[in-house]
Amino acid sequence: MVSIIDDTYEYATLDELRILTDAIQRWPDVIATLEDSPPYIQMCYKSLVETYDEIEDEMQKTGESYRVQYAIQEMKKLVMVYFEEAKWLFSNHVPTMEEYMKVCIPSCAYMSISTASLVGRGDQVSKEDFDWITNEPLILVASSTICRLMDDLVGEEFEQKTSAIECYMKQYGVSKEEACAELQRQVENAWKDMNGECIIETRSTSMKILMGIFNLGRVMHHLYADGDGYSDPNRSKELVKMLFVEPVKI
């Protein structure tokens, strides 16, 4: 769903996105029909609502349906930053790095995905864990930073959105190579933050939850280390085969 919504916000018109964003912000209190919107906007919204309804139905069986509301709130935050990115694109606005990171760290969706990943984990998590993760702890910001900047470093040339490279070059008047070097340095610093958050003395939640967030950073690092392994289905398939299908010869 995150991938579908991301693509929708990248290619739909601003008026269409304004309607979709408003509908998602009013959900679940108001379920819109969006009858006057194009079929793909209606399909996106309907699929999103049905997906979370299905999850909530499952969680009601265990008395934990309250958890879905945390995931819904994070999805609402996500579409708001997607809409902000779309407005930049339609107005040809190149934000400062500070503006960019404020919007585009959450727009990588790791905050939404991390929250949703806790919903079905039973007694491994508590309400306090949901409160912790929705307050954007350092490890989650660091994992999101790795995702965003590595995505920008390999996808800047073909994605229909503003990139950190473009923002950094304009703000500081440097070459693309210098901008890329700085973003790579920021990725390395984010890994240091990730490691620091996993040290026993600094842990703010269980290691199981921390490792879920840590592994999201690993996924993006692995997919984007040598090119765009997310958008290239053949490369993604090979990575999955190597990691989970083909046996390791000893």
Side-chain angles (χ1 to χ4, degrees):
M1 283 309 309
V2 167
S3 292
I4 291 170
I5 293 170
D6 185 17
D7 285 349
T8 301
Y9 273 79
E10 193 167 338
Y11 292 102
T13 69
L14 198 59
D15 287 339
E16 292 167 353
L17 294 178
R18 186 173 288 108
I19 293 169
L20 177 60
T21 303
D22 180 63
I24 293 174
Q25 294 309 306
R26 291 185 291 137
W27 161 64
D29 296 328
V30 177
I31 305 299
T33 59
L34 304 183
E35 292 176 348
D36 296 329
S37 299
Y40 70 92
I41 293 290
Q42 296 181 42
M43 180 187 70
C44 179
Y45 177 75
K46 184 171 182 287
S47 298
L48 178 66
V49 171
E50 289 178 348
T51 297
Y52 280 79
D53 282 348
E54 184 178 346
I55 296 171
E56 188 168 19
D57 289 343
E58 287 295 313
M59 299 312 299
Q60 283 178 346
K61 299 174 184 177
T62 60
E64 297 167 330
S65 59
Y66 76 90
R67 298 179 174 190
V68 182
Q69 298 308 310
Y70 282 92
I72 288 174
Q73 290 306 311
E74 288 303 309
M75 180 57 72
K76 288 182 176 182
K77 293 179 187 177
L78 180 61
V79 298
M80 285 299 293
V81 292
Y82 280 163
F83 187 51
E84 190 65 27
E85 286 182 325
K87 288 190 290 185
W88 289 346
L89 184 65
F90 279 96
S91 64
N92 295 316
H93 173 62
V94 180
T96 64
M97 278 299 294
E98 291 73 21
E99 290 176 301
Y100 179 83
M101 296 300 280
K102 182 178 180 180
V103 168
C104 295
I105 284 182
S107 81
C108 81
Y110 270 13
M111 294 177 180
S112 177
I113 292 170
S114 295
T115 303
S117 74
L118 300 184
V119 171
R121 292 183 65 174
D123 57 10
Q124 293 182 16
V125 298
S126 64
K127 186 178 184 300
E128 288 71 26
D129 292 320
F130 280 94
D131 291 334
W132 170 80
I133 202 167
T134 55
N135 282 321
E136 301 178 7
L138 178 58
I139 189 171
L140 183 51
V141 173
S143 185
S144 299
T145 299
I146 292 167
C147 175
R148 168 52 57 215
L149 296 184
M150 292 200 71
D151 183 358
D152 285 357
L153 284 167
V154 301
E156 188 251 353
E157 293 184 359
F158 58 84
E159 288 190 339
Q160 301 295 315
K161 59 177 65 175
T162 307
S163 80
I165 298 173
E166 180 185 6
C167 296
Y168 196 88
M169 288 173 64
K170 180 178 180 181
Q171 183 172 352
Y172 295 103
V174 299
S175 66
K176 182 176 181 179
E177 290 72 21
E178 290 172 307
C180 288
E182 170 58 24
L183 298 184
Q184 189 60 53
R185 187 186 67 82
Q186 292 184 26
V187 169
E188 292 170 1
N189 287 338
W191 273 115
K192 293 176 183 178
D193 288 338
M194 293 262 280
N195 288 325
E197 288 293 285
C198 293
I199 296 172
I200 294 176
E201 292 80 4
T202 59
R203 288 179 197 168
S204 48
T205 188
S206 71
M207 196 61 186
K208 288 183 179 180
I209 294 176
L210 290 174
M211 286 309 298
I213 299 170
F214 199 95
N215 285 336
L216 284 173
R218 284 173 163 167
V219 167
M220 194 54 63
H221 192 96
H222 193 61
L223 283 176
Y224 285 169
D226 299 308
D228 191 345
Y230 180 76
S231 299
D232 182 351
N234 294 318
R235 186 165 182 271
S236 298
K237 181 178 178 179
E238 289 305 311
L239 289 172
V240 171
K241 281 172 59 179
M242 286 189 291
L243 286 169
F244 301 113
V245 179
E246 296 175 347
V248 177
K249 296 180 181 180
I250 300 176

